[in-house]
Short mmCIF file of all heavy atoms in Angstrom, two decimals:
data_model
loop_
_atom_site.label_atom_id
_atom_site.label_comp_id
_atom_site.label_asym_id
_atom_site.label_seq_id
_atom_site.Cartn_x
_atom_site.Cartn_y
_atom_site.Cartn_z
N PHE N 225 95.35 127.41 136.87
CA PHE N 225 96.23 127.31 135.78
C PHE N 225 95.48 126.80 134.59
O PHE N 225 94.67 125.93 134.70
CB PHE N 225 97.43 126.39 136.12
CG PHE N 225 98.52 126.39 135.15
CD1 PHE N 225 99.57 127.39 135.23
CD2 PHE N 225 98.56 125.48 134.11
CE1 PHE N 225 100.56 127.38 134.31
CE2 PHE N 225 99.66 125.52 133.21
CZ PHE N 225 100.65 126.44 133.23
N THR N 226 95.73 127.37 133.39
CA THR N 226 95.00 127.03 132.20
C THR N 226 95.92 126.43 131.13
O THR N 226 96.97 126.98 130.90
CB THR N 226 94.26 128.27 131.56
OG1 THR N 226 93.41 128.82 132.57
CG2 THR N 226 93.51 127.86 130.37
N VAL N 227 95.46 125.29 130.58
CA VAL N 227 96.24 124.64 129.46
C VAL N 227 95.39 124.68 128.24
O VAL N 227 94.22 124.18 128.25
CB VAL N 227 96.60 123.17 129.84
CG1 VAL N 227 97.41 122.53 128.66
CG2 VAL N 227 97.34 123.09 131.14
N CYS N 228 95.95 125.22 127.17
CA CYS N 228 95.25 125.26 125.84
C CYS N 228 95.99 124.31 124.87
O CYS N 228 97.21 124.23 124.90
CB CYS N 228 95.25 126.69 125.30
SG CYS N 228 94.36 127.84 126.30
N GLY N 229 95.23 123.77 123.94
CA GLY N 229 95.75 122.93 122.87
C GLY N 229 95.99 123.77 121.59
O GLY N 229 96.20 124.96 121.63
N TYR N 254 98.93 130.81 131.86
CA TYR N 254 98.55 129.89 130.71
C TYR N 254 99.73 129.07 130.26
O TYR N 254 100.87 129.59 130.30
CB TYR N 254 98.07 130.77 129.54
CG TYR N 254 96.67 131.28 129.55
CD1 TYR N 254 96.38 132.45 130.24
CD2 TYR N 254 95.66 130.62 128.84
CE1 TYR N 254 95.13 133.00 130.20
CE2 TYR N 254 94.36 131.15 128.76
CZ TYR N 254 94.07 132.34 129.52
OH TYR N 254 92.82 132.85 129.43
N LEU N 255 99.42 127.93 129.71
CA LEU N 255 100.30 127.12 128.90
C LEU N 255 99.65 126.81 127.56
O LEU N 255 98.57 126.22 127.53
CB LEU N 255 100.69 125.79 129.63
CG LEU N 255 101.38 124.69 128.80
CD1 LEU N 255 102.65 125.15 128.09
CD2 LEU N 255 101.63 123.51 129.68
N ASN N 257 99.95 124.64 124.26
CA ASN N 257 100.66 123.38 124.07
C ASN N 257 100.94 123.03 122.59
O ASN N 257 100.63 121.94 122.10
CB ASN N 257 99.82 122.27 124.68
CG ASN N 257 100.62 120.95 124.88
OD1 ASN N 257 101.80 121.02 125.04
ND2 ASN N 257 99.91 119.87 124.87
N LEU N 332 103.88 120.02 135.63
CA LEU N 332 103.08 120.79 136.58
C LEU N 332 103.19 120.17 137.96
O LEU N 332 102.77 119.05 138.16
CB LEU N 332 101.67 120.87 136.14
CG LEU N 332 101.38 121.19 134.69
CD1 LEU N 332 99.83 121.27 134.44
CD2 LEU N 332 102.01 122.51 134.26
N VAL N 338 103.06 117.64 130.42
CA VAL N 338 102.27 118.17 129.28
C VAL N 338 103.26 118.26 128.10
O VAL N 338 104.35 118.86 128.13
CB VAL N 338 101.76 119.59 129.55
CG1 VAL N 338 100.81 120.08 128.44
CG2 VAL N 338 101.05 119.65 130.93
N ILE N 412 98.87 115.39 129.83
CA ILE N 412 98.04 116.19 128.95
C ILE N 412 98.77 116.34 127.59
O ILE N 412 99.93 116.65 127.58
CB ILE N 412 97.72 117.62 129.55
CG1 ILE N 412 96.98 117.52 130.88
CG2 ILE N 412 96.94 118.47 128.57
CD1 ILE N 412 96.81 118.86 131.54
N VAL N 433 93.63 117.81 124.65
CA VAL N 433 92.88 119.07 124.63
C VAL N 433 93.20 119.78 123.26
O VAL N 433 94.35 119.86 122.86
CB VAL N 433 93.20 120.00 125.81
CG1 VAL N 433 94.68 120.34 125.88
CG2 VAL N 433 92.37 121.30 125.76
N SER N 435 92.13 123.23 120.97
CA SER N 435 91.53 124.54 121.21
C SER N 435 91.12 125.30 119.99
O SER N 435 90.77 126.48 119.99
CB SER N 435 92.52 125.38 122.07
OG SER N 435 92.74 124.70 123.30
N ALA N 448 88.28 123.50 123.26
CA ALA N 448 88.31 123.33 124.71
C ALA N 448 89.61 123.87 125.32
O ALA N 448 90.62 123.88 124.64
CB ALA N 448 88.03 121.88 125.11
N PHE N 449 89.54 124.24 126.55
CA PHE N 449 90.78 124.43 127.30
C PHE N 449 90.58 123.76 128.66
O PHE N 449 89.44 123.44 129.08
CB PHE N 449 91.21 125.85 127.41
CG PHE N 449 90.19 126.81 127.93
CD1 PHE N 449 89.97 126.98 129.33
CD2 PHE N 449 89.44 127.61 127.11
CE1 PHE N 449 89.01 127.90 129.80
CE2 PHE N 449 88.48 128.51 127.53
CZ PHE N 449 88.29 128.63 128.88
N ILE N 450 91.65 123.51 129.44
CA ILE N 450 91.62 122.90 130.75
C ILE N 450 92.01 123.85 131.78
O ILE N 450 92.98 124.59 131.65
CB ILE N 450 92.61 121.67 130.77
CG1 ILE N 450 92.24 120.61 129.75
CG2 ILE N 450 92.70 121.15 132.15
CD1 ILE N 450 93.28 119.52 129.59
N THR N 451 91.22 123.96 132.86
CA THR N 451 91.74 124.72 134.03
C THR N 451 91.90 123.68 135.19
O THR N 451 91.15 122.69 135.31
CB THR N 451 90.72 125.80 134.48
OG1 THR N 451 89.46 125.21 134.84
CG2 THR N 451 90.50 126.78 133.31
N LEU N 452 92.91 123.96 136.01
CA LEU N 452 93.15 123.12 137.20
C LEU N 452 93.73 124.01 138.28
O LEU N 452 94.20 125.08 138.09
CB LEU N 452 94.05 121.96 136.85
CG LEU N 452 95.23 122.16 135.92
CD1 LEU N 452 96.37 122.79 136.64
CD2 LEU N 452 95.60 120.87 135.26
#
Side-chain angles (χ1 to χ4, degrees):
F225 189 85
T226 301
V227 181
C228 296
Y254 279 82
L255 164 57
N257 196 29
L332 314 181
V338 188
I412 298 174
V433 60
S435 301
F449 55 81
I450 297 171
T451 62
L452 38 82

